[in-house]
Amino acid sequence: MDSPFPDNEGNSRLLAEAKAGSNAPALSVSEISNALKRTVEDRFGHVRVRGELSGFKRAASGHLYFGLKDADAKLDGVMWKGNAARLPFAPEDGLEVIATGKLTTYPGRSSYQIVADRLELAGEGALMLLFEKLKARLASEGLFDGARKRAIPYLPKTIGIVTSPTGAVIRDMMHRLEDRFPSHVILWPVMVQGDGAAAQIAAAVRGFSAMPVDGPVARPDLVIVARGGGSIEDLWAFNEEVVVRAVAECSIPVISAVGHETDTTLCDFAADRRAPTPTAAAEMAVPVRLDLAQQMGQAELRLTGALRRFVDRASERLLAQARLLPKLADIVGNRQQRADDLGDRLRRGLERRADLSKMAFAGISGRIAPAMLQRRLAMSAERLQSVRMPTALVERQMAERRSKLSGLDRLLNSLHPEAPLGRGFARVTTADGKTTICKTGDAIAAGKVLINFADGPVAANVEGGKGAKIASSAKSAPPAAQPSLFGEGDS
C-alpha cells in the first residue's frame, strides 16, 4: 500500500514524522492564533481608520459592534461600554466616522477587528448627515409641529435661563433685561459644549418644568436656552435628542437662543420661539419699560377721552328725551282734581250716613226702654206658670220609666257571658284573658290558656294531639265581680 505523505526521497508516508534538526515544528490552532494576535497588536497598536458605519448594533451589555467599510473592503469593529457611554453622538448606519483604537484578532472566528477607543464623525458633512437624519425622525413624531407652539408671555414675572454661568452670554442678557424691564431671573448653570453638556441642559429644562407653582422658589413664566456662536461641533449638544425632547416636553414656554443668526440647531425647531442671538432672546422676553409706561399713559388718555365722550353723548340723549316728556303738572293735574272731588264726596257721604243712622236709632229707642223690657219679662213669667205640669203626673211617669229600667237590668244580667259560670260552666281564654277560645285547635295553638270559673281563673298548659290534655299550672285567682250595666242605686 502506498503512503499518502512523501518522504525525503519523494515517497508518500501515512504518518507525520518530526525529524531531528527541523525548524518547522507543528503548531496548535491556539498557538498560531495567539501568535497572529500578538503580531497584529504589536504592529497596529494605535491606528485611526476612516469608513462608513455598517451593521451597527448595541448589545444588552452596552458594548457596540459595527463594521467600517469603503468601496473595496470592510473591517469589523467593537467598542466596549465604558467608551461607548462617552460618545458625543448616537452612531447609526451610513455615518462616515474615524475610529481610533488598535487592531486585534478574534480567534473564535479567525478574523481581525479594531477595538475602538473613540469614534468621531469624519468632517462636517457626516455631522450634517446625522443632523438631517435626526431632524427627520423627530419631525415625524410631531415634535416640531407649529400647532404645539405656545405664545410667549408678554411680561413674565420670573425668567429661567439655561446657559453657562461664566460666559459673556449671561452678562449680555442680564444687561439687556436691566435696560428694558428689570425682571427676576433664575440661572441654571450648565456646560454648553463637550461631554455631558447635553445631559446637563436637558436636566435643567426638565428641572424648571417640574418646579411647583406655589413652591418656595418662584416658578419661571418663561425659559430661555442660550449659548453663544460656534461651529456645528461646538453647538452639537443642542442637537442631541435628549435636549430636543426636554425642550419639546417643557410645560413652560421656551425661547431657543443658540448661536448666531445663521446657526440652526434642533433645539430651535422644538422651542416655542427662536431668537437669532441670546441678546435678542432677552429683547423678546420683556418689553421696554419706558415704552410700556408711554403706552399706558396713552391708553389712559384714550380711556379718559372715551369716557368723557360717552358721558357727553349720554347727557345729550337724556336732555333730548326729557324735552319729549310731558310736564309733571299735565300728568298729575287731572289726578289731583279727581282726588279732591272724591274727598269732597266722601265727606258728604259720611255725614249723610251718620244722619240716617241717628234717625233709625231714634225710631227704635222707644222700644228698648227699661219699662218696656220689664213688662215683656212679666208676661213671659205668666206664660211659664200656665204651662207647668201637675206633680202627680210627673211622679207616675218617673215610676213607669224606673220599672222599665229594672227589667232591662235583669235581662242584661241573665245574658252576661259570666252568668253561666255560676251554674258549673267554665270559659277558656288566651293567656292574657282578652280572647275567648271556642275550638280545640285554637287551644292547642295557644299552648297556655286561662280557665275562668265563677270564683276566678286558673292558668293551664294545653298538650297537643288527640285527646288534648290540660294541665293546671297556676292557683285560682280570687273571684272577679260580675259587671253590671247599672251602678248601685239604679233599679
Side-chain angles (χ1 to χ4, degrees):
M1 180 177 178
D2 295 336
S3 173
F5 298 102
D7 56 10
N8 292 337
E9 288 76 15
N11 298 323
S12 298
R13 297 177 59 83
L14 180 62
L15 298 176
E17 182 178 287
K19 294 185 178 181
S22 174
N23 59 355
L27 301 176
S28 67
V29 175
S30 297
E31 288 174 339
I32 192 66
S33 296
N34 291 332
L36 285 172
K37 181 180 178 68
R38 288 192 298 271
T39 301
V40 171
E41 290 180 352
D42 291 342
R43 175 65 180 81
F44 301 99
H46 180 77
V47 294
R48 299 182 76 232
V49 182
R50 181 170 182 162
E52 180 182 327
L53 286 177
S54 174
F56 176 81
K57 181 178 66 174
R58 185 184 295 271
S61 60
H63 306 319
L64 304 183
Y65 298 93
F66 54 90
L68 294 175
K69 67 177 184 178
D70 55 16
D72 300 318
K74 180 180 178 181
L75 173 64
D76 291 336
V78 61
M79 175 178 279
W80 308 127
K81 66 177 181 180
N83 294 323
R86 293 192 293 270
L87 281 177
F89 67 97
E92 58 182 53
D93 291 348
L95 291 179
E96 188 176 8
V97 298
I98 296 178
T100 303
K102 66 178 180 180
L103 289 183
T104 184
T105 62
Y106 182 55
R109 287 200 298 264
S110 297
S111 62
Y112 66 94
Q113 63 185 9
I114 181 172
V115 178
D117 299 327
R118 186 168 69 252
L119 285 180
E120 301 168 309
L121 294 173
E124 291 190 1
L127 200 58
M128 288 305 300
L129 177 62
L130 179 61
F131 176 89
E132 293 299 332
K133 286 185 176 181
L134 183 58
K135 178 183 176 182
R137 179 163 61 86
L138 296 179
S140 66
E141 298 181 16
L143 266 66
F144 305 152
D145 290 347
R148 300 180 66 257
K149 308 297 183 182
R150 294 160 296 185
I152 302 300
Y154 177 69
L155 188 60
K157 295 181 180 180
T158 304
I159 301 175
I161 299 179
V162 179
T163 190
S164 172
T166 58
V169 170
I170 186 62
R171 293 194 298 270
D172 293 343
M173 294 180 68
M174 294 299 295
H175 180 68
R176 185 52 57 93
L177 290 173
E178 184 69 23
D179 288 344
R180 291 175 64 86
F181 202 106
S183 303
H184 180 58
V185 175
I186 301 177
L187 172 64
W188 197 303
V190 296
M191 294 190 304
V192 292
Q193 71 180 65
D195 295 341
Q200 290 188 15
I201 297 169
V205 175
R206 295 186 188 278
F208 276 134
S209 180
M211 292 177 66
V213 177
D214 53 352
V217 179
R219 187 174 190 261
D221 303 312
L222 177 67
V223 173
I224 302 176
V225 180
R227 188 204 187 281
S231 64
I232 186 173
E233 183 179 3
D234 295 336
L235 304 179
W236 189 254
F238 298 89
N239 292 321
E240 291 285 350
E241 183 175 354
V242 63
V243 173
V244 178
R245 291 190 181 278
V247 171
E249 296 170 0
C250 184
S251 59
I252 304 172
V254 180
I255 295 178
S256 176
V258 180
H260 296 305
E261 188 169 358
T262 56
D263 297 324
T264 302
T265 64
L266 296 181
C267 181
D268 298 335
F269 294 101
D272 298 291
R273 183 77 64 85
R274 176 184 180 269
T277 62
T279 304
E283 295 176 355
M284 290 181 180
V286 294
V288 179
R289 181 175 54 183
L290 296 179
D291 293 345
L292 182 60
Q294 184 177 1
Q295 293 175 6
M296 293 293 292
Q298 293 176 355
E300 182 181 4
L301 292 176
R302 290 198 299 270
L303 178 61
T304 303
L307 289 175
R308 185 180 297 108
R309 288 191 297 273
F310 177 80
V311 172
D312 292 343
R313 286 195 294 268
S315 300
E316 292 174 359
R317 289 195 299 270
L318 181 60
L319 292 175
Q321 295 294 331
R323 284 193 293 269
L324 298 177
L325 292 174
K327 295 182 178 180
L328 180 60
D330 297 338
I331 297 175
V332 302
N334 292 334
R335 298 293 188 272
Q336 289 178 343
Q337 184 177 359
R338 181 169 176 78
D340 294 340
D341 184 38
L342 292 175
D344 187 57
R345 290 171 58 188
L346 177 61
R347 179 180 54 78
R348 292 196 302 271
L350 291 175
E351 291 176 353
R352 182 180 178 186
R353 185 63 180 267
D355 293 341
L356 292 174
S357 298
K358 289 179 180 179
M359 292 172 62
F361 180 74
I364 65 173
S365 60
R367 287 180 289 172
I368 61 174
M372 180 66 71
L373 291 177
Q374 290 177 359
R375 185 167 57 251
R376 292 185 64 180
L377 182 60
M379 293 173 62
S380 298
E382 291 177 359
R383 286 198 300 271
L384 180 61
Q385 291 294 333
S386 63
V387 300
R388 181 174 297 173
M389 294 180 64
T391 304
L393 180 60
V394 174
E395 290 178 353
R396 186 171 62 253
Q397 290 180 358
M398 290 291 291
E400 291 175 358
R401 284 173 173 73
R402 187 178 296 109
S403 176
K404 188 176 181 179
L405 285 174
S406 298
L408 293 175
D409 184 47
R410 288 192 297 271
L411 179 61
L412 177 62
N413 290 332
S414 64
L415 297 177
H416 195 279
E418 302 292 343
L421 300 184
R423 300 195 297 273
F425 293 95
R427 184 166 64 92
V428 182
T429 65
T430 55
D432 55 5
K434 295 182 178 179
T435 304
T436 301
I437 298 176
C438 302
K439 296 182 180 180
T440 306
D442 295 340
I444 295 173
K448 293 182 178 182
V449 298
L450 286 178
I451 304 175
N452 297 274
F453 296 99
D455 57 349
V458 176
N461 296 325
V462 180
E463 299 178 359
K466 286 187 176 181
K469 300 178 180 181
I470 298 178
S472 175
S473 59
K475 296 181 179 180
S476 298
Q482 295 185 2
S484 176
L485 180 62
F486 306 102
E488 294 183 4
D490 295 334
S491 57

mmCIF file with all atom_site columns, all heavy atoms in Angstrom, residues 25 58 70 98 114 116 171 215 228 246 265 343:
data_model
loop_
_atom_site.group_PDB
_atom_site.id
_atom_site.type_symbol
_atom_site.label_atom_id
_atom_site.label_alt_id
_atom_site.label_comp_id
_atom_site.label_asym_id
_atom_site.label_entity_id
_atom_site.label_seq_id
_atom_site.pdbx_PDB_ins_code
_atom_site.Cartn_x
_atom_site.Cartn_y
_atom_site.Cartn_z
_atom_site.occupancy
_atom_site.B_iso_or_equiv
_atom_site.pdbx_formal_charge
_atom_site.auth_seq_id
_atom_site.auth_comp_id
_atom_site.auth_asym_id
_atom_site.auth_atom_id
_atom_site.pdbx_PDB_model_num
ATOM 1  N N   . PRO A 1 25  ? 8.326    23.136  13.453 1.00 0.00 ? 25  PRO A N   1
ATOM 2  C CA  . PRO A 1 25  ? 7.523    22.230  14.287 1.00 0.00 ? 25  PRO A CA  1
ATOM 3  C C   . PRO A 1 25  ? 6.022    22.485  14.030 1.00 0.00 ? 25  PRO A C   1
ATOM 4  O O   . PRO A 1 25  ? 5.613    23.567  13.620 1.00 0.00 ? 25  PRO A O   1
ATOM 5  C CB  . PRO A 1 25  ? 7.902    22.621  15.714 1.00 0.00 ? 25  PRO A CB  1
ATOM 6  C CG  . PRO A 1 25  ? 8.338    24.045  15.601 1.00 0.00 ? 25  PRO A CG  1
ATOM 7  C CD  . PRO A 1 25  ? 8.987    24.179  14.248 1.00 0.00 ? 25  PRO A CD  1
ATOM 8  N N   . ARG A 1 58  ? -26.048  47.763  19.238 1.00 0.00 ? 58  ARG A N   1
ATOM 9  C CA  . ARG A 1 58  ? -25.715  47.996  20.635 1.00 0.00 ? 58  ARG A CA  1
ATOM 10 C C   . ARG A 1 58  ? -26.223  46.795  21.436 1.00 0.00 ? 58  ARG A C   1
ATOM 11 O O   . ARG A 1 58  ? -27.429  46.536  21.491 1.00 0.00 ? 58  ARG A O   1
ATOM 12 C CB  . ARG A 1 58  ? -26.370  49.272  21.152 1.00 0.00 ? 58  ARG A CB  1
ATOM 13 C CG  . ARG A 1 58  ? -25.952  49.648  22.583 1.00 0.00 ? 58  ARG A CG  1
ATOM 14 C CD  . ARG A 1 58  ? -26.730  50.876  23.059 1.00 0.00 ? 58  ARG A CD  1
ATOM 15 N NE  . ARG A 1 58  ? -26.402  52.048  22.280 1.00 0.00 ? 58  ARG A NE  1
ATOM 16 C CZ  . ARG A 1 58  ? -25.418  52.892  22.559 1.00 0.00 ? 58  ARG A CZ  1
ATOM 17 N NH1 . ARG A 1 58  ? -24.638  52.675  23.629 1.00 0.00 ? 58  ARG A NH1 1
ATOM 18 N NH2 . ARG A 1 58  ? -25.186  53.943  21.794 1.00 0.00 ? 58  ARG A NH2 1
ATOM 19 N N   . ASP A 1 70  ? -15.470  50.723  3.080  1.00 0.00 ? 70  ASP A N   1
ATOM 20 C CA  . ASP A 1 70  ? -15.344  51.690  1.993  1.00 0.00 ? 70  ASP A CA  1
ATOM 21 C C   . ASP A 1 70  ? -15.754  50.975  0.715  1.00 0.00 ? 70  ASP A C   1
ATOM 22 O O   . ASP A 1 70  ? -16.448  49.943  0.757  1.00 0.00 ? 70  ASP A O   1
ATOM 23 C CB  . ASP A 1 70  ? -13.928  52.275  1.925  1.00 0.00 ? 70  ASP A CB  1
ATOM 24 C CG  . ASP A 1 70  ? -12.849  51.195  1.801  1.00 0.00 ? 70  ASP A CG  1
ATOM 25 O OD1 . ASP A 1 70  ? -13.210  50.038  1.454  1.00 0.00 ? 70  ASP A OD1 1
ATOM 26 O OD2 . ASP A 1 70  ? -11.682  51.491  2.050  1.00 0.00 ? 70  ASP A OD2 1
ATOM 27 N N   . ILE A 1 98  ? -14.401  58.294  11.938 1.00 0.00 ? 98  ILE A N   1
ATOM 28 C CA  . ILE A 1 98  ? -12.982  57.925  12.113 1.00 0.00 ? 98  ILE A CA  1
ATOM 29 C C   . ILE A 1 98  ? -12.891  57.227  13.453 1.00 0.00 ? 98  ILE A C   1
ATOM 30 O O   . ILE A 1 98  ? -13.202  57.813  14.499 1.00 0.00 ? 98  ILE A O   1
ATOM 31 C CB  . ILE A 1 98  ? -12.068  59.154  12.067 1.00 0.00 ? 98  ILE A CB  1
ATOM 32 C CG1 . ILE A 1 98  ? -12.137  59.812  10.686 1.00 0.00 ? 98  ILE A CG1 1
ATOM 33 C CG2 . ILE A 1 98  ? -10.645  58.762  12.430 1.00 0.00 ? 98  ILE A CG2 1
ATOM 34 C CD1 . ILE A 1 98  ? -11.294  61.064  10.571 1.00 0.00 ? 98  ILE A CD1 1
ATOM 35 N N   . ILE A 1 114 ? -11.038  45.970  14.788 1.00 0.00 ? 114 ILE A N   1
ATOM 36 C CA  . ILE A 1 114 ? -10.492  47.117  15.510 1.00 0.00 ? 114 ILE A CA  1
ATOM 37 C C   . ILE A 1 114 ? -11.270  47.292  16.800 1.00 0.00 ? 114 ILE A C   1
ATOM 38 O O   . ILE A 1 114 ? -12.505  47.241  16.825 1.00 0.00 ? 114 ILE A O   1
ATOM 39 C CB  . ILE A 1 114 ? -10.554  48.401  14.648 1.00 0.00 ? 114 ILE A CB  1
ATOM 40 C CG1 . ILE A 1 114 ? -9.952   49.587  15.435 1.00 0.00 ? 114 ILE A CG1 1
ATOM 41 C CG2 . ILE A 1 114 ? -11.984  48.719  14.211 1.00 0.00 ? 114 ILE A CG2 1
ATOM 42 C CD1 . ILE A 1 114 ? -9.791   50.852  14.586 1.00 0.00 ? 114 ILE A CD1 1
ATOM 43 N N   . ALA A 1 116 ? -12.163  49.981  19.149 1.00 0.00 ? 116 ALA A N   1
ATOM 44 C CA  . ALA A 1 116 ? -12.136  51.441  19.092 1.00 0.00 ? 116 ALA A CA  1
ATOM 45 C C   . ALA A 1 116 ? -12.239  52.027  20.492 1.00 0.00 ? 116 ALA A C   1
ATOM 46 O O   . ALA A 1 116 ? -13.071  51.608  21.296 1.00 0.00 ? 116 ALA A O   1
ATOM 47 C CB  . ALA A 1 116 ? -13.278  51.953  18.218 1.00 0.00 ? 116 ALA A CB  1
ATOM 48 N N   . ARG A 1 171 ? -24.039  87.637  30.842 1.00 0.00 ? 171 ARG A N   1
ATOM 49 C CA  . ARG A 1 171 ? -23.834  89.061  31.159 1.00 0.00 ? 171 ARG A CA  1
ATOM 50 C C   . ARG A 1 171 ? -24.587  89.946  30.162 1.00 0.00 ? 171 ARG A C   1
ATOM 51 O O   . ARG A 1 171 ? -25.230  90.927  30.557 1.00 0.00 ? 171 ARG A O   1
ATOM 52 C CB  . ARG A 1 171 ? -22.346  89.392  31.150 1.00 0.00 ? 171 ARG A CB  1
ATOM 53 C CG  . ARG A 1 171 ? -21.563  88.715  32.265 1.00 0.00 ? 171 ARG A CG  1
ATOM 54 C CD  . ARG A 1 171 ? -20.183  89.348  32.423 1.00 0.00 ? 171 ARG A CD  1
ATOM 55 N NE  . ARG A 1 171 ? -19.389  89.176  31.203 1.00 0.00 ? 171 ARG A NE  1
ATOM 56 C CZ  . ARG A 1 171 ? -18.588  88.143  30.968 1.00 0.00 ? 171 ARG A CZ  1
ATOM 57 N NH1 . ARG A 1 171 ? -18.495  87.163  31.876 1.00 0.00 ? 171 ARG A NH1 1
ATOM 58 N NH2 . ARG A 1 171 ? -17.898  88.061  29.854 1.00 0.00 ? 171 ARG A NH2 1
ATOM 59 N N   . GLY A 1 215 ? -44.306  76.742  45.044 1.00 0.00 ? 215 GLY A N   1
ATOM 60 C CA  . GLY A 1 215 ? -43.158  76.264  45.797 1.00 0.00 ? 215 GLY A CA  1
ATOM 61 C C   . GLY A 1 215 ? -42.380  77.395  46.456 1.00 0.00 ? 215 GLY A C   1
ATOM 62 O O   . GLY A 1 215 ? -42.691  78.589  46.298 1.00 0.00 ? 215 GLY A O   1
ATOM 63 N N   . GLY A 1 228 ? -23.632  81.134  23.064 1.00 0.00 ? 228 GLY A N   1
ATOM 64 C CA  . GLY A 1 228 ? -23.028  81.961  22.041 1.00 0.00 ? 228 GLY A CA  1
ATOM 65 C C   . GLY A 1 228 ? -22.752  81.182  20.767 1.00 0.00 ? 228 GLY A C   1
ATOM 66 O O   . GLY A 1 228 ? -23.034  79.982  20.657 1.00 0.00 ? 228 GLY A O   1
ATOM 67 N N   . ALA A 1 246 ? -36.527  67.284  25.784 1.00 0.00 ? 246 ALA A N   1
ATOM 68 C CA  . ALA A 1 246 ? -36.770  68.045  27.009 1.00 0.00 ? 246 ALA A CA  1
ATOM 69 C C   . ALA A 1 246 ? -37.404  69.400  26.693 1.00 0.00 ? 246 ALA A C   1
ATOM 70 O O   . ALA A 1 246 ? -38.334  69.845  27.385 1.00 0.00 ? 246 ALA A O   1
ATOM 71 C CB  . ALA A 1 246 ? -35.470  68.224  27.782 1.00 0.00 ? 246 ALA A CB  1
ATOM 72 N N   . THR A 1 265 ? -30.054  74.914  15.186 1.00 0.00 ? 265 THR A N   1
ATOM 73 C CA  . THR A 1 265 ? -29.987  73.650  15.925 1.00 0.00 ? 265 THR A CA  1
ATOM 74 C C   . THR A 1 265 ? -31.390  73.053  16.014 1.00 0.00 ? 265 THR A C   1
ATOM 75 O O   . THR A 1 265 ? -32.396  73.730  15.803 1.00 0.00 ? 265 THR A O   1
ATOM 76 C CB  . THR A 1 265 ? -29.426  73.859  17.339 1.00 0.00 ? 265 THR A CB  1
ATOM 77 O OG1 . THR A 1 265 ? -30.337  74.684  18.085 1.00 0.00 ? 265 THR A OG1 1
ATOM 78 C CG2 . THR A 1 265 ? -28.051  74.506  17.297 1.00 0.00 ? 265 THR A CG2 1
ATOM 79 N N   . GLY A 1 343 ? -112.630 113.212 47.598 1.00 0.00 ? 343 GLY A N   1
ATOM 80 C CA  . GLY A 1 343 ? -112.553 113.560 49.014 1.00 0.00 ? 343 GLY A CA  1
ATOM 81 C C   . GLY A 1 343 ? -113.798 114.314 49.472 1.00 0.00 ? 343 GLY A C   1
ATOM 82 O O   . GLY A 1 343 ? -114.334 114.075 50.564 1.00 0.00 ? 343 GLY A O   1
#
